[in-house]
Amino acid sequence: TSRDVQQELMRMRAVPFSSVSERLNRVVRQTARELDKKAELEIEGAQVEMDRSVLERIGAPLEHMVRNALAHGLESPAVRAAAGKPESGRIVVTLRQERNEIALSVVDDGCGIDLQKLHQKAIDEGLVDRGRLLTDAERMQLVFTSGLSTADTVTRLSGRGIGMDVVRNEITAIGGRVDVASARGK
């Protein structure tokens, strides 16, 4: 009886991820307009259900990751065309149920993370010793360093060095984890 009541309670608290789809689409439209870029958002697995409180907690971090994909990942239409890519960038949010966890990935078809630039910024900011050699995996982890940004100028959307560290903290607080992978130019 207890197990049945618990399962029924979970069913009542579960909402489909699609309930935040319009919110994410609006973020993409507004951000693309502000940055004078073209982007399309695709959501795969929108029917996956999540606990309502978890979905509310990941809303802001997910919006931040989508904005980052536009601000830092996707190139301008002219640069994309010169690289042989479609003018409009693509951001794909995918959800999968994996046993008792939900895997959520955010992928863009932009330029990838410039690990050399990220490392150099960390050195310039005094966050990494100048003579210290880092592996690519260690450089990739620099995206989670508070106060570090690769943006050349500070805007409302980027350059403040506040972001992926907050995203990681929010996701960790609800028992999740954040991993980053990147391929230069892709």
Side-chain angles (χ1 to χ4, degrees):
T1 303
S2 176
R3 185 171 30 90
D4 291 344
V5 169
Q6 187 177 16
Q7 287 177 344
E8 187 60 32
L9 181 61
M10 289 299 289
R11 256 192 303 279
M12 289 171 49
R13 292 181 53 88
V15 293
F17 184 82
S18 60
S19 64
V20 296
S21 294
E22 186 51 43
R23 179 171 144 190
L24 290 176
N25 276 299
R26 187 171 45 255
V27 166
V28 169
R29 282 191 308 271
Q30 289 173 343
T31 306
R33 192 175 322 118
E34 288 176 32
L35 296 171
D36 201 25
K37 294 182 179 180
K38 295 180 181 178
E40 299 168 11
L41 176 68
E42 184 179 325
I43 300 176
E44 298 174 355
Q47 74 284 357
V48 171
E49 292 187 338
M50 302 176 77
D51 183 279
R52 182 182 319 275
S53 63
V54 170
L55 191 56
E56 289 170 2
R57 293 276 306 264
I58 69 166
L62 186 57
E63 284 182 21
H64 184 83
M65 287 188 286
V66 168
R67 281 190 192 97
N68 264 10
L70 274 155
H72 297 290
L74 298 182
E75 310 93 334
S76 67
V79 171
R80 289 182 63 82
K85 295 180 181 181
E87 283 189 1
S88 184
R90 216 167 142 239
I91 300 170
V92 181
V93 175
T94 305
L95 285 92
R96 291 181 315 282
Q97 183 80 40
E98 294 180 355
R99 293 192 265 318
N100 63 342
E101 294 183 332
I102 293 177
L104 187 150
S105 69
V106 179
V107 178
D108 66 69
D109 68 347
C111 59
I113 297 173
D114 185 340
L115 295 178
Q116 182 60 38
K117 183 176 183 180
L118 187 61
H119 187 212
Q120 189 57 52
K121 284 278 195 164
I123 291 169
D124 295 346
E125 296 290 323
L127 300 168
V128 173
D129 292 333
R130 189 165 298 281
R132 183 170 172 219
L133 297 176
L134 299 178
T135 65
D136 283 351
E138 290 171 323
R139 287 178 180 183
M140 189 74 70
Q141 291 304 305
L142 291 172
V143 299
F144 298 111
T145 304
S146 180
L148 183 63
S149 176
T150 57
D152 295 322
T153 58
V154 176
T155 68
R156 188 179 72 78
L157 294 172
S158 62
R160 296 167 290 140
I162 303 168
M164 289 305 292
D165 57 320
V166 175
V167 167
R168 177 182 262 176
N169 292 341
E170 275 294 310
I171 299 302
T172 301
I174 59 172
R177 64 186 177 280
V178 179
D179 297 315
V180 177
S182 181
R184 197 75 188 119
K186 297 179 183 179

